[in-house]
């Protein structure tokens, strides 16, 4: 199964250049953060994952809200980080295979783990490229197992498709990737029971007054040679404006909105007082954008409400 939309990676250089530049990175040192015992953690690695700032984000949540919406769910770091807080949620994304995978984790974790164990047993370079070339799988469980297998074994967990929507990231060099996640997937499945998972554009969601919408779009990049320029359906400046317009519409109808984005002049010009309140957070750079060991970067957390007493 292929998808109609590409995931623009948060890289500030063309993909081939990134591969070459980070070839020296030892993927064995790219570790998942430790999980809290008994708590579901994201079942995939995802560019722009929010695990390191879950506390900064929840500190800026409104005191009360009804339904929780995440229209750019990706790896779902925030959702899994706050799973105890959430009673009812709609998670969505414009990546079709990703949303199929979420639904498989939710509905059929046991069969999915069985398929992942089969991939794990056969994993080697030849097998990786054979599975990578299977673009037309029809069974959702096969799509999900392939998606997780490739995510756990590809170069730095990157996600990239060609113009036909076919995943084309080369194999990574992990020693013992945890492909099957026999402990974590059942926990994720339990956490997802209170969610609806949908394949859709961010601006087609329909929250009600009093709901909370968290938007974590592909970040705006000031770098003219942005990687996102190379994708057919990249998330460009017009999409950033479309997102702002959508967020203003939500604000007018009484929905609580919280957004993450890069600290760039464009983003600051889109979200202005008095509607928008801007906070900043320091975020460790992702390994794929940190060639020279520079320190953390500032990101914006934007809300249409205040959390001060
Ligand atoms: C920065 S990532 C989100 C990361 C996520 N918060 C996490 O913790 O892993 C952005 C997500 O937006 C999705 N996306 C890109 N364009 C979109 C669009 N137009 N509508 C909805 N989702 C989109 C991508 O597929 C990707 O999963």
């Amino acid at each position: 199964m292929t998808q109609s939309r590409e995931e623009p990676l948060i890289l500030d250089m063309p993909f081939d250049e990134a591969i070459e530049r980070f070839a020296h990175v030892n993927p064995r040192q790219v570790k998942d953060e430790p999980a809290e015992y008994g708590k579901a953690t994201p079942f995939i690695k995802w560019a722009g994952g929010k695990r390191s700032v879950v506390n900064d984000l929840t500190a800026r949540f409104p005191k009360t809200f009804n339904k929780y919406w995440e229209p750019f769910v990706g790896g779902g770091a925030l959702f899994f980080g706050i799973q105890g807080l959430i009673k009812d949620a709609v998670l969505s994304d414009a990546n079709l295979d990703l949303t199929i995978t979420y639904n498989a984790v939710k509905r059929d974790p046991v069969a999915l783990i069985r398929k992942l164990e089969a991939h794990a047993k056969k994993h080697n370079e030849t097998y990786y490229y054979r599975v990578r070339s299977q673009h037309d799988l029809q069974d959702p469980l096969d799509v999900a197992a392939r998606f997780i297998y490739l995510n756990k074994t590809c170069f730095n967990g990157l996600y990239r498709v060609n113009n036909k929507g076919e995943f084309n990231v080369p194999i990574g060099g992990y020693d013992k990737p945890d492909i099957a996640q026999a402990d974590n997937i059942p926990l994720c499945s339990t956490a997802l029971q209170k969610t609806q998972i949908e394949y859709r554009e961010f601006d087609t969601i329909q929250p009600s007054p009093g709901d909370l919408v968290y938007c974590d779009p592909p970040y705006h990049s000031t770098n003219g040679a942005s990687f996102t320029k190379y994708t057919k359906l990249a998330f460009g400046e017009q999409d950033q404006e479309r997102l702002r317009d959508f967020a203003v519409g939500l604000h007018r109808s009484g929905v609580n909105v919280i957004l993450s984005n890069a600290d760039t002049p464009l983003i600051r010009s889109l979200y202005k007082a008095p509607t928008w309140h801007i906070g900043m957070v320091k975020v460790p750079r992702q390994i794929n954008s940190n060639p020279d060991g520079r320190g953390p970067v500032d990101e914006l957390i934007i809300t249409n409400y205040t959390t001060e007493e």
Side-chain angles (χ1 to χ4, degrees):
M1 219 174 263
T2 54
Q3 57 200 50
S4 61
R5 223 185 142 92
E6 300 177 8
E7 151 64 6
L9 277 167
I10 303 168
L11 289 175
D12 42 18
M13 67 190 71
F15 185 72
D16 291 341
E17 189 188 322
I19 294 277
E20 203 170 293
R21 207 148 144 195
F22 300 112
H24 67 280
V25 171
N26 180 355
R28 282 166 206 149
Q29 291 165 356
V30 185
K31 292 221 167 69
D32 287 329
E33 285 166 50
E36 211 176 292
Y37 180 74
K39 192 172 165 193
T41 58
F43 51 84
I44 48 167
K45 291 174 189 290
W46 206 245
K50 281 289 166 297
R51 281 181 79 175
S52 62
V53 289
V54 166
N55 291 340
D56 299 283
L57 286 164
T58 48
R60 288 173 173 83
F61 269 21
K63 285 209 174 61
T64 57
F65 57 90
N66 300 329
K67 203 183 251 205
Y68 176 75
W69 300 73
E70 222 186 300
F72 299 91
V73 70
L78 184 58
F79 167 75
F80 287 115
I82 59 170
Q83 55 197 272
L85 272 181
I86 303 296
K87 297 199 171 49
D88 192 4
V90 181
L91 310 178
S92 54
D93 200 283
N95 183 317
L96 176 60
D97 286 4
L98 174 70
T99 53
I100 289 173
T101 303
Y102 266 92
N103 273 308
V105 169
K106 175 182 171 184
R107 294 187 188 143
D108 213 344
V110 175
L112 178 60
I113 291 168
R114 231 179 282 130
K115 286 189 185 280
L116 287 169
E117 284 169 345
H119 279 311
K121 252 190 212 153
K122 294 184 218 153
H123 176 55
N124 61 33
E125 188 167 348
T126 314
Y127 185 73
Y128 174 90
Y129 286 104
R130 194 183 326 141
V131 173
R132 198 185 77 164
S133 70
Q134 294 169 348
H135 301 293
D136 289 313
L137 299 174
Q138 295 303 317
D139 179 339
L141 272 179
D142 290 333
V143 173
R146 172 178 177 271
F147 189 88
I148 295 175
Y149 166 64
L150 294 177
N151 174 268
K152 290 287 176 181
T153 55
C154 74
F155 184 83
N156 279 355
L158 299 179
Y159 188 84
R160 156 81 184 182
V161 291
N162 63 19
N163 288 340
K164 287 189 256 165
E166 299 168 345
F167 183 79
N168 66 359
V169 178
I171 192 169
Y174 299 98
D175 244 356
K176 284 190 183 147
D178 184 9
I179 296 164
Q181 305 174 73
D183 292 331
N184 187 42
I185 285 182
L187 296 171
C188 291
S189 179
T190 304
L192 291 170
Q193 295 309 311
K194 55 197 168 191
T195 70
Q196 239 170 283
I197 300 142
E198 294 175 355
Y199 166 56
R200 52 170 68 247
E201 274 290 308
F202 68 86
D203 54 0
T204 63
I205 63 167
Q206 294 187 310
S208 302
D211 288 353
L212 175 64
V213 177
Y214 171 55
C215 295
D216 183 23
Y219 279 12
H220 176 238
S221 163
T222 46
N223 185 334
S226 165
F227 174 77
T228 58
K229 227 170 95 182
Y230 289 68
T231 60
K232 206 172 53 175
L233 291 167
F235 203 89
E237 295 191 350
Q238 281 178 353
D239 296 295
Q240 297 291 357
E241 281 173 27
R242 184 162 62 101
L243 172 57
R244 190 278 315 273
D245 293 346
F246 180 63
V248 168
L250 294 179
H251 170 73
R252 290 195 179 128
S253 57
V255 175
N256 300 293
V257 183
I258 177 165
L259 303 106
S260 297
N261 215 317
D263 187 1
T264 68
L266 174 79
I267 299 302
R268 282 187 178 265
S269 75
L270 289 176
Y271 297 93
K272 288 244 163 94
T275 302
W276 301 106
H277 308 272
I278 296 203
M280 283 170 62
V281 64
K282 292 247 178 260
V283 179
R285 276 173 197 268
Q286 300 208 328
I287 194 138
N288 54 10
S289 64
N290 188 17
D292 54 9
R294 286 170 296 167
V297 277
D298 287 322
E299 281 186 10
L300 302 180
I301 299 181
I302 305 162
T303 59
N304 67 335
Y305 52 86
T306 50
T307 42
E308 285 142 29
E309 292 301 312

